[in-house]
Amino acid sequence: MAVTAMELKVKEIVANGGLPRSRKVDELRKLQSEARGIQRAGSEGPMSPDDGLQDDLRVVEKALHALDADVSEKGAATL
């Protein structure tokens, strides 16, 4: 199974021993927001059975969970 660009970014952030946990969480939240935006944009286009957008979001949320960070989306759009 191929490693995606998102998986590489997430692994790089999590493995960076120079970053404190709070900074890792901040960086992962940026990726989470980016992945959600891309996923929303993708849902407005033609349907693709396996475009990988859901997988990217899952990778980021799994890393946030591993760092004991809340994975729920923050902001007015949260239901």
Side-chain angles (χ1 to χ4, degrees), residues 9-17 19 24 28 63-64 66-67:
K9 288 180 190 178
V10 168
K11 285 180 182 182
E12 182 179 318
I13 291 167
V14 172
N16 187 336
L19 286 180
K24 289 179 184 183
L28 289 170
L64 283 166
L67 291 172

